[in-house]
Amino acid sequence: MAFKPVVTLVGRPNVGKSTLFNRLTRSRAALVADFAGLTRDRHYGEGRVGDIPFITVDTGGFEPVAKAGIMHHMAKQTEQAIAESDVVIFLVDARAGLNAHDQEIAVLLRKSGQKVLLCVNKAEGMSHGAAIAEFHELGLGQPHAISAAHGDGVVALIEQALLSFAPEVDSDTQDDDSDEPELIDATDHRIKLAIVGRPNVGKSTLINTLVGENRVIAFDLPGTTRDAIEVEFERDDRRYTLIDTAGLRRRGKVFEAVEKFSVIKTLQAIEACNVVLLLLDAQQEISDQDAHIAGFILESGRALVVAINKWDNVDSDRRERIKREFDRKLRFLNFAKVHNISALRGQGVNAVMRSVNAAHAAAFAKLSTPKLTRVLQDAVAQQPPPRKGIFRPKMRYAHQGGQNPPRIIVHGNALDAIADPYRRYLESRFRDAFELAGTPLRIEFKSSHNPYVDN
Ligand SMILES: Nc1nc2c(ncn2[C@@H]2O[C@H](COP(=O)(O)OP(=O)(O)OP(=O)(O)O)[C@@H](O)[C@H]2O)c(=O)[nH]1
Ligand SMILES: [Mg+2]
């Protein structure tokens, strides 16, 4: 199981944490730029430098724990993030120089026992030696000079940070750029399922309902990530690996969740699975945290099923309210099937699992080039892409670029001119033609040379 390593950015205010965070997470965030209602949590994101994917956390702006001192700026969440991370990048400011607050943070980090890389930011235009000289004093090893704003030294820094985490080579075919990806046959593929949701939403009840009546094949703790648990089980002849997020414990035949919520573990489970089952609580408002996790699921491209739990315990007014709230706050999840369930009574669980299977099948669907091209040409015939200036984008053919999520690469000329509404139009045409419910779909455009431009 490849859990993505977690890199946490720590430092006093204004040293450039968010600038570095944005640089690290930019490429994927751009994939889902403008979905209506999508609230992005700018604290957690997936980063990728070269071939190395990781999760990164910006601790700036978390709720402070104390009224004064640097701890005023450090939060409980920061402590938890430091404890749960694989590497901490401690940023200091080359221009402001060494600061008493840096010293305090250094003490805290040394106590944490975590692997720390000291990173001297804003070092553009300075000699390396001059930038780092005074920071040796922090006693955190060799400082690395970077410029987050300009990008200098960032790749080397991340490579250094992730030295001991070999890049995944197995599951990442969907991310490479080759024209002929090797597609997995989903039917004999174990479904990796992550059940996510905030504390007390009913994750362990659902897991017991699911797993309790079925054959549990293995239950173990992978060595790499503390407390992350996988449970393998079979249900109606399908094989599943459940990836836990809540610190499940096994007691005899029953699982109990240690109700300590961890955003980081939730994000790691999302990254590690094929299908996410997002549990919401019918008795509660949809929280910002629910919305942030939903946004991360969309960014991750994982297939998704939503279950609103404790349905047995709410009246019809509340049922109407939660439906409206869902449409308002989580409208960008409209590709996913939504079920109302009672995990406790086992109501709706079969339907949820059918949707999980269907979402998985859609995520791994094989889309043939002739059919993709036919659907593309029909769509264009019915509604051609708008001109941009003197250019009329011309689409020639489409092929599949990856799975989970399905990626469709459209080839043609002058395709940079295609705007988002047209992309969405194509998306819905492809969705209908291939019945791709339950999974995000990514459409990318590749222009060959532009005949209108001299070459
Ligand atoms: N010259 C220079 N300026 C930078 C660099 N990185 C960030 N800055 C600037 O430093 C200021 C603070 O950057 P942020 O990224 O907001 O800092 P932060 O650590 O997130 O701050 P808090 O969230 O308040 O803790 C901004 O004006 C940035 O433009 C850099 O590499 N070089
Ligand atoms: Mg910030």
Side-chain angles (χ1 to χ4, degrees):
M1 166 68 50
F3 276 96
K4 291 192 177 157
V6 176
V7 178
T8 298
L9 312 181
V10 177
R12 61 187 176 74
N14 220 39
V15 291
K17 296 181 294 297
S18 302
T19 306
L20 180 58
F21 178 88
N22 289 338
R23 181 168 287 281
L24 294 175
T25 57
R26 189 174 300 159
S27 61
R28 196 169 69 175
L31 288 174
V32 288
D34 45 7
F35 276 83
L38 175 60
T39 46
R40 303 286 271 297
D41 184 339
R42 298 322 296 153
H43 287 297
Y44 302 90
E46 196 220 39
R48 178 179 290 271
V49 167
D51 286 337
I52 316 174
F54 54 93
I55 289 172
T56 185
V57 184
D58 175 0
T59 61
F62 280 154
E63 284 296 308
V65 272
K67 289 233 156 42
I70 189 65
M71 293 307 149
H72 172 60
H73 299 284
M74 293 283 239
K76 267 254 160 337
Q77 259 174 298
T78 304
E79 279 174 42
Q80 194 185 345
I82 290 169
E84 291 180 341
S85 56
D86 295 294
V87 188
V88 177
I89 292 181
F90 173 27
L91 280 93
V92 293
D93 184 330
R95 289 167 199 267
L98 184 60
N99 178 298
H101 289 157
D102 295 332
Q103 303 272 18
E104 277 184 63
I105 295 171
V107 170
L108 187 110
L109 289 177
R110 269 200 302 271
K111 265 198 236 149
S112 77
Q114 291 293 57
K115 175 173 164 187
V116 178
L117 286 188
L118 176 60
C119 168
V120 183
N121 188 32
K122 311 191 189 179
E124 73 273 9
M126 299 172 76
S127 85
H128 189 93
I132 66 174
E134 60 184 318
F135 296 102
H136 282 103
E137 191 181 315
L138 290 170
L140 287 168
Q142 178 70 17
H144 299 256
I146 70 158
S147 169
H150 299 264
D152 311 332
V154 172
V155 172
L157 174 75
I158 289 296
E159 280 174 354
Q160 177 73 31
L162 298 176
L163 217 50
S164 50
F165 303 92
E168 293 166 58
V169 279
D170 53 340
S171 67
D172 263 16
T173 39
Q174 75 262 33
D175 285 318
D176 73 24
D177 252 358
S178 74
D179 270 12
E180 293 301 332
E182 263 198 54
L183 300 180
I184 291 169
D185 199 6
T187 44
D188 47 51
H189 186 229
R190 170 183 289 292
I191 299 179
K192 288 189 213 158
L193 177 67
I195 300 185
V196 309
R198 58 181 138 134
N200 216 34
V201 70
K203 291 188 290 293
S204 36
T205 310
L206 179 62
I207 289 165
N208 283 324
T209 304
L210 270 180
V211 175
E213 62 201 34
N214 296 287
R215 200 156 73 86
V216 176
I217 295 156
F219 174 80
D220 81 317
L221 295 156
T224 47
T225 306
R226 304 152 293 267
D227 302 335
I229 294 181
E230 292 173 28
V231 184
E232 293 187 3
F233 69 99
E234 283 181 359
R235 190 171 206 275
D236 298 335
D237 294 331
R238 294 261 5 197
R239 295 185 302 153
Y240 301 87
T241 299
L242 191 113
I243 302 163
D244 170 55
T245 56
L248 277 188
R249 300 279 180 272
R250 189 178 195 179
R251 226 185 232 162
K253 291 195 108 159
V254 182
F255 295 90
E256 59 181 24
V258 178
E259 291 287 1
K260 179 169 173 270
F261 184 75
S262 160
V263 182
I264 289 176
K265 290 208 182 82
T266 301
L267 303 187
Q268 281 184 310
I270 292 168
E271 294 284 358
C273 76
N274 309 123
V275 184
V276 179
L277 177 51
L278 173 64
L279 267 190
L280 300 171
D281 185 338
Q283 296 173 328
Q284 311 227 359
E285 304 290 301
I286 293 172
S287 67
D288 287 352
Q289 187 144 67
D290 292 328
H292 290 321
I293 289 172
F296 193 89
I297 295 169
L298 183 71
E299 256 186 45
S300 75
R302 298 298 177 254
L304 172 68
V305 177
V306 179
I308 306 180
N309 191 28
K310 310 189 191 180
W311 201 250
D312 55 301
N313 217 20
V314 291
D315 62 20
S316 56
D317 275 2
R318 181 70 212 146
R319 290 176 180 188
E320 279 310 308
R321 271 244 315 275
I322 185 102
K323 275 187 205 158
R324 280 201 306 274
E325 219 186 316
F326 186 88
D327 290 339
R328 187 161 47 84
K329 294 189 179 166
L330 301 181
R331 136 182 55 140
F332 56 91
L333 299 183
N334 59 7
F335 63 90
K337 198 130 172 87
V338 181
H339 293 270
N340 309 316
I341 69 165
S342 168
L344 196 60
R345 301 184 185 180
Q347 286 159 350
V349 173
N350 287 330
V352 164
M353 293 310 285
R354 280 197 297 276
S355 290
V356 165
N357 297 344
H360 179 264
F364 285 92
K366 291 185 178 174
L367 317 173
S368 80
T369 301
K371 187 170 175 192
L372 281 170
T373 302
R374 205 158 55 239
V375 174
L376 176 72
Q377 286 168 349
D378 287 351
V380 170
Q382 206 168 329
Q383 187 181 318
R387 275 177 189 284
K388 187 176 175 194
I390 60 163
F391 299 115
R392 160 81 73 192
K394 184 146 182 56
M395 298 187 209
R396 302 195 181 283
Y397 73 101
H399 84 278
Q400 182 168 13
Q403 296 169 298
N404 199 204
R407 278 170 61 215
I408 296 173
I409 321 284
V410 174
H411 296 261
N413 295 327
L415 300 185
D416 334 341
I418 305 278
D420 237 56
Y422 198 80
R423 180 199 301 268
R424 287 210 198 101
Y425 163 71
L426 287 182
E427 180 181 334
S428 75
R429 296 295 297 247
F430 285 127
R431 260 186 201 290
D432 290 350
F434 290 94
E435 298 179 39
L436 297 176
T439 178
L441 182 59
R442 301 257 157 91
I443 297 182
E444 293 159 35
F445 297 106
K446 261 202 182 144
S447 293
S448 40
H449 85 281
N450 189 330
Y452 301 102
V453 174
D454 292 341
N455 53 4

